[in-house]
């Protein structure tokens, strides 16, 4: 009687082990793909912004698509080491500096708008 109860339990445990192993393999493949990913927008972009404030911008896109921004205005210089990312379609995602200066737009068109509190304007860059 006991042997009959053990077989289904062993079968279920074997199936769960195989599923767990497959998940581990899938996770390793996904991590490897992320490590080998190169953003199509990787590089340095320089340009200007204008509107309620004017100045220059440097946008650096790392291999993984994360963005660093340097903003220089007549009032100050502000650097952000990681301030969002660029998606594969070029759209900027969550690119905001500590001051609240937020870039909206697309690196495919190399332009967009910016906002900081009530101040707004436009920006454009060229790839170096």
């Amino acid at each position: 009687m006991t042997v009959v109860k053990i077989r289904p339990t062993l079968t279920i445990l074997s199936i769960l082990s195989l599923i767990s192993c497959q998940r581990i393999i899938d996770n390793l493949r996904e991590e490897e793909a992320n490590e080998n990913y190169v953003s199509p927008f990787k590089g340095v972009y320089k340009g200007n912004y204008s509107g309620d404030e004017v100045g220059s911008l440097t946008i650096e896109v790392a291999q993984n698509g994360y963005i660093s921004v340097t903003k220089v205005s007549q009032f100050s210089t502000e650097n952000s080491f990681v301030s969002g990312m660029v998606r594969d379609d070029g759209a900027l995602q969550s690119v905001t500096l500590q001051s609240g200066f937020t870039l909206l737009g697309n690196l495919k068109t190399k332009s967009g708008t910016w906002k900081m509190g009530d101040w707004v304007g436009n920006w454009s860059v060229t790839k170096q």
Side-chain angles (χ1 to χ4, degrees):
M1 193 89 170
T2 307
V3 173
V4 174
K5 290 181 180 181
I6 293 176
R7 280 193 178 147
T9 304
L10 287 176
T11 303
I12 290 171
L13 287 174
S14 296
I15 291 171
L16 290 175
S17 294
L18 290 174
I19 291 171
S20 294
C21 288
Q22 187 60 45
R23 283 188 183 159
I24 291 170
I25 291 169
D26 290 345
N27 287 342
L28 287 172
R29 286 183 181 149
E30 187 176 330
E31 284 180 26
E32 185 177 290
N34 287 339
E35 288 174 8
N36 293 328
Y37 173 79
V38 177
S39 170
F41 298 97
K42 178 184 178 213
V44 176
Y45 299 77
K46 292 187 177 194
N48 298 300
Y49 67 97
S50 60
D52 293 328
E53 180 179 277
V54 296
S56 64
L57 289 173
T58 300
I59 301 171
E60 291 186 55
V61 180
Q63 176 174 320
N64 61 5
Y66 284 94
I67 292 178
S68 298
V69 177
T70 301
K71 174 181 88 79
V72 179
S73 73
Q74 69 263 27
F75 304 116
S76 66
T77 299
E78 186 176 7
N79 294 308
S80 172
F81 294 104
V82 176
S83 116
M85 65 178 302
V86 59
R87 297 189 326 218
D88 283 344
D89 64 358
L92 298 181
Q93 183 175 330
S94 303
V95 179
T96 302
L97 301 174
Q98 277 188 318
S99 64
F101 184 88
T102 301
L103 290 176
L104 307 164
N106 194 299
L107 284 181
K108 188 178 272 188
T109 62
K110 298 178 190 69
S111 64
T113 60
W114 64 268
K115 65 180 182 173
M116 184 170 66
D118 292 335
W119 290 7
V120 295
N122 298 304
W123 62 270
S124 64
V125 293
T126 56
K127 189 169 184 181
Q128 303 300 295

